[in-house]
Amino acid sequence: MPGPAQCFGPRGVRRGAALTLVFAGVLTAGAAAGALPRDGHDSAAPVTRSVASAVNSDEVTAAAARAVADGKSGQEAAAKAVSRSGDRWGAVYDDRQYAEFERSLDGSYTGVGISARRAANGRVEVTRVQPGSPADRAGIAPGDLLRTIDGHRVDRRPVAEVVALLRGDRTEAAEGSTVVLGIERGALARTETLRRARLTTEAVTIRRIGAGRPEPEAVLIEVDSFTKGSGAKVRDAVRTAPGDAGVLLDLRGNSGGLVTEAVTAASAFLDGGLVATYDVHGEQRALYAQPGGDTSRPLVVLVDGGTMSAAELLTGALQDRGRAVTVGSRTFGKGSVQMPSRLPGGGVAELTVGHYRTPAGRGVDGRGITPDLAVGSRAEQRARTVLSGLGGGP
């Protein structure tokens, strides 16, 4: 998967990369200030401290305070300090942006209702359209190709750049603003002008596959992001699945989210034990699964270049502990920990403070997770074949 945007500032880059391919615009970062670190990630080799951690919240806060005392913008001063630090994922938000961030944790977002993935040929293909959304009302459907956004071609652009264009991050587009999409369906091309709206998304989709066949049926659980309640939905889906049904856990295009939700999802398949370790300013900490998960049901996990942060944390835990077979392509590789802090004069700075590691001690930051079975096209079909071979479905 391509890296973050090249033509947007640090805030747009970070938000765009964190969103990955959820074009609807779900912002999926961590908990409120003072809580767990944002996003679930794993880190680079031994516990190395990168340039990203060269600036701390005290330095950024001090820069903002000096600016406010001089009658200048504290947020601008903080943003300059973060930019100079080299923190790839550091960002500064005003109060409105941060409020949007917080609302997104409940699955509420401003967007047009489109989810998409990068096709093998570099084109951007719509994979899901939220019912009742602006995109749905405009007749956009799964399988359509997204060619342009506000006149900008999106073929082969970095994913974060495409997301930033769709959301209007450069212009801080809000609910009610418009975005013009160039859509292609077969030989027909058209332009649609959509008005961004406040929408609520279902982060977890569950459906049965193979029902009515002589082979055991399976359960497909698609997790788009780890917003509040998504981990419990995964756990409940596993608990209520037929006894002989395997699980295909689809984390492709999952942009991450709340660490606690990823750990809850891991607990559906593990009977306690380590999920990940992480450091905050050098202090080592650990995350553990809850006991009582289903440890015998066949499980295959689908991943791709859009699988990042909390989704990588979950993938790494299931892979390292021998609980799942992973299928697809290398994941994004975001293994850093961000924590927010309030700024003098208003706003929030979110800075990198450490890194995550898998149970086996693997670093993922900048590297990603290599699946057990590397598959380009037809990944879901291959995953179903693997699941069938494990005795878990068609």
Side-chain angles (χ1 to χ4, degrees):
M1 172 178 170
Q6 299 172 347
C7 64
F8 298 107
R11 179 191 302 154
V13 169
R14 185 196 177 280
R15 281 164 47 186
L19 288 170
T20 321
L21 287 174
V22 186
F23 287 173
V26 181
L27 288 168
T28 53
L36 279 172
R38 293 191 179 277
D39 283 327
H41 339 289
D42 319 63
S43 165
V47 181
T48 54
R49 303 298 303 213
S50 67
V51 177
S53 57
V55 66
N56 60 45
S57 59
D58 291 339
E59 293 171 347
V60 173
T61 300
R66 288 194 296 270
V68 171
D70 292 339
K72 300 177 181 178
S73 170
Q75 290 181 40
E76 289 184 5
K80 289 180 181 178
V82 172
S83 179
R84 288 194 299 268
S85 75
D87 188 341
R88 180 186 181 192
W89 302 107
V92 176
Y93 303 91
D94 62 30
D95 291 332
R96 183 191 67 80
Q97 293 162 345
Y98 197 71
E100 175 76 14
F101 227 14
E102 296 297 290
R103 283 193 297 269
S104 72
L105 300 178
D106 293 315
S108 174
Y109 64 96
T110 299
V112 297
I114 293 175
S115 296
R117 290 194 178 101
R118 179 80 63 190
N121 61 2
R123 308 293 295 277
V124 178
E125 181 180 357
V126 175
T127 58
R128 186 178 303 120
V129 177
Q130 185 170 334
S133 67
D136 184 35
R137 293 193 296 271
I140 298 173
D144 288 350
L145 295 176
L146 183 61
R147 301 173 62 248
T148 61
I149 300 175
D150 287 335
H152 300 276
R153 291 194 62 86
V154 299
D155 293 355
R156 304 188 184 280
R157 279 179 180 254
V159 169
E161 194 172 318
V162 175
V163 173
L165 284 169
L166 189 75
R167 284 186 52 84
D169 281 348
R170 294 185 75 185
T171 57
E172 304 300 341
E175 180 180 357
S177 61
T178 59
V179 58
V180 181
L181 306 185
I183 302 294
E184 182 179 309
R185 182 181 299 174
L188 300 177
R190 72 184 195 277
T191 299
E192 295 286 350
T193 300
L194 307 183
R195 193 171 296 277
R196 297 179 178 95
R198 173 65 56 180
L199 301 170
T200 301
T201 185
E202 282 292 332
V204 180
T205 304
I206 303 161
R207 58 188 175 94
R208 301 282 179 87
I209 53 177
R213 299 183 182 181
E215 302 92 346
E217 64 180 280
V219 177
L220 173 62
I221 304 175
E222 297 177 274
V223 187
D224 286 338
S225 58
F226 286 106
T227 54
K228 289 179 181 177
S230 57
K233 289 180 179 178
V234 172
R235 181 191 60 208
D236 293 345
V238 174
R239 287 178 177 174
T240 58
D244 57 354
V247 171
L248 181 57
L249 182 63
D250 191 349
L251 300 180
R252 292 175 298 176
N254 185 311
S255 50
L258 288 166
V259 172
T260 49
E261 298 297 335
V263 173
T264 299
S267 300
F269 306 102
L270 301 172
D271 186 14
L274 186 64
V275 173
T277 59
Y278 65 99
D279 64 288
V280 175
H281 297 307
E283 179 184 345
Q284 300 300 308
R285 306 180 186 181
L287 297 168
Y288 296 94
Q290 300 165 5
D294 189 327
T295 60
S296 59
R297 188 185 300 275
L299 174 64
V300 173
V301 179
L302 265 170
V303 296
D304 67 1
T307 305
M308 61 189 301
S309 65
E312 290 178 287
L313 180 151
L314 173 58
T315 302
L318 296 176
Q319 187 183 57
D320 278 6
R321 296 187 57 183
R323 182 60 188 89
V325 176
T326 53
V327 177
S329 53
R330 185 187 297 270
T331 62
F332 183 86
K334 183 176 185 291
S336 56
V337 181
Q338 283 75 43
M339 280 188 171
S341 58
R342 289 284 174 183
L343 293 172
V348 175
E350 193 172 72
L351 305 173
T352 299
V353 297
H355 296 88
Y356 276 96
R357 304 178 68 78
T358 70
R362 290 185 297 160
V364 178
D365 198 52
R367 301 178 181 180
I369 293 175
T370 301
D372 301 311
L373 177 61
V375 180
S377 60
R378 305 174 70 85
E380 183 172 334
Q381 181 177 331
R382 293 291 299 277
R384 292 192 186 196
T385 301
V386 172
L387 189 60
S388 179
L390 297 173

